[in-house]
């Protein structure tokens, strides 16, 4: 695997890249770009990079403010703003069209990218995406408002840890330890900006725009707990899904082999 930096709209974007052995194939399959979620980095995709790189080029980027990528000075982590970072990576690597995999908040970044530039995204894969929080009922909205208030309090980290622990239900001990260690190292400004962007993102509308374009495909790989009334695949039943049993929210860490099989199925013909 190779580590390199690409110039982005707000500064350096760090990527990890892996490629298959050189072949004499007449046509190469499209590369795959991986986008991680909140509080982690591109290294969370190591198993998937190694798997995909057996047959095609694979790239994972550090989302702005994570890993070795520059943070936004204005605190803007909105998925629509992060699109510019993804497109900068594609342009910097000379990639006209790719498949893209996004997990959690990274699923929203991948979805926003697909909706903005559908001609560049041949296959959209959403790994346990959040629901569309702009479509939640009033009682859930009040919980969101309370959570955002908690992020401004002195004990803000306790609120975030509670949220992450709920998402870790069903995860392995190794996944839990890794994710909570990453969370402990993530500053409040980053988390606050990402939560703000996540709660305001109109995910269903973005999915509709992407799938309205010709030649587009989307699939969600979800954990068993992703059954909220505002989950994307429930709001849009046409979004095909596969559930990986006995996993928590970070399902690519909990069940890397099962996740790899789903990637292979999604990438057939791409």
């Amino acid at each position: 695997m190779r580590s390199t930096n690409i110039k982005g709209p707000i500064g350096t974007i760090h990527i990890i890249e892996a490629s298959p052995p050189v072949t004499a194939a007449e046509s190469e399959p499209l590369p795959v770009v991986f986008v991680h979620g909140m509080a982690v980095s591109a290294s969370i995709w190591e198993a998937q990079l190694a798997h995909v790189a057996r047959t095609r080029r694979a790239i994972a980027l550090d989302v702005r403010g994570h890993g070795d990528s520059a943070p936004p000075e204005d605190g803007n982590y909105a998925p629509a703003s992060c699109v510019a970072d993804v497109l900068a990576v594609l342009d910097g690597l000379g990639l006209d069209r790719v498949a893209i995999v996004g997990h959690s908040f990274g699923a929203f970044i991948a979805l926003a990218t697909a909706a903005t530039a559908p001609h560049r995204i041949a296959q959209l894969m959403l790994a346990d995406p959040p629901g569309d929080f702009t479509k939640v009922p009033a009682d859930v909205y009040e919980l969101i408002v309370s959570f955002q208030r908690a992020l401004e309090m002195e004990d803000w980290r306790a609120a975030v840890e509670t949220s992450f622990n709920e998402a870790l239900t069903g995860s392995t001990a190794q996944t839990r330890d890794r994710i909570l260690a990453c969370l402990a190292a993530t500053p409040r400004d980053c988390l606050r900006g990402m939560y703000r962007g996540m709660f305001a993102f109109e995910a269903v509308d973005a999915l509709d725009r992407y799938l309205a374009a010709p030649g587009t495909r989307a699939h969600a790989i979800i954990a068993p707990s992703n059954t909220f009334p505002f989950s994307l695949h429930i709001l849009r039943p046409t979004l095909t899904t596969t559930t990986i049993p006995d996993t928590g929210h970070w399902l690519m860490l909990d069940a890397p082999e099962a996740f790899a099989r789903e990637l292979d199925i999604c990438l057939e013909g791409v």
Side-chain angles (χ1 to χ4, degrees):
M1 293 190 188
R2 302 177 298 280
S3 177
T4 189
N5 294 319
I6 289 177
K7 183 178 180 181
I10 65 166
T12 298
I13 304 171
H14 174 253
I15 68 168
I16 302 172
E17 185 176 5
S19 300
V22 177
T23 65
E26 292 184 3
S27 61
E28 296 181 358
L30 289 181
V32 181
V33 174
F34 292 88
V35 188
H36 67 79
M38 196 179 299
V40 294
S41 68
S43 64
I44 202 170
W45 295 112
E46 285 176 348
Q48 288 72 41
L49 288 168
H51 176 79
V52 169
R54 295 185 304 179
T55 57
R56 64 178 78 210
R57 193 174 179 186
I59 303 103
L61 63 115
D62 282 340
V63 171
R64 55 173 62 185
H66 294 71
D68 292 322
S69 289
E73 292 184 1
D74 60 359
N76 186 355
Y77 287 88
S81 297
C82 295
V83 169
D85 303 339
V86 178
L87 295 180
V89 170
L90 299 191
D91 293 341
L93 297 176
L95 303 177
D96 293 329
R97 200 160 186 249
V98 299
I100 193 167
V101 184
H103 171 251
S104 191
F105 187 87
F108 277 2
I109 297 175
L111 178 51
T113 303
T116 301
H119 60 290
R120 303 193 72 172
I121 307 299
Q123 170 75 61
L124 172 66
M125 288 163 279
L126 305 173
D128 212 39
D132 189 328
F133 291 99
T134 69
K135 304 279 193 294
V136 299
D139 57 335
V140 177
Y141 178 77
E142 289 303 318
L143 291 175
I144 292 172
V145 172
S146 296
F147 180 78
Q148 290 182 301
R149 288 199 196 104
L151 288 176
E152 306 302 324
M153 303 298 182
E154 186 175 347
D155 61 346
W156 63 272
R157 193 168 287 280
V160 176
E161 287 175 353
T162 297
S163 176
F164 269 61
N165 274 306
E166 290 174 356
L168 283 162
T169 301
S171 291
T172 65
Q174 293 85 351
T175 296
R176 175 178 295 275
D177 290 346
R178 179 173 180 178
I179 295 304
L180 291 180
C182 291
L183 176 62
T186 305
R188 172 161 59 172
D189 286 349
C190 176
L191 294 167
R192 183 165 44 195
M194 295 192 90
Y195 276 118
R196 186 184 301 121
M198 181 175 72
F199 292 144
F201 182 58
E202 296 178 334
V204 167
D205 293 342
L207 181 62
D208 288 345
R209 290 200 310 276
Y210 171 65
L211 291 178
T216 55
R217 308 194 316 187
H219 184 77
I221 306 169
I222 63 174
S225 60
N226 198 336
T227 56
F228 304 104
F230 50 92
S231 293
L232 279 186
H233 63 287
I234 291 177
L235 291 172
R236 285 295 181 271
T238 52
L239 174 63
T240 60
T241 63
T242 302
T243 302
I244 300 182
D246 303 317
T247 59
H249 182 53
W250 288 267
L251 64 179
M252 81 288 277
L253 296 180
D254 291 328
E257 293 182 358
F259 194 88
R261 286 194 295 272
E262 294 305 321
L263 284 181
D264 289 343
I265 293 170
C266 288
L267 291 170
E268 286 180 3
V270 176

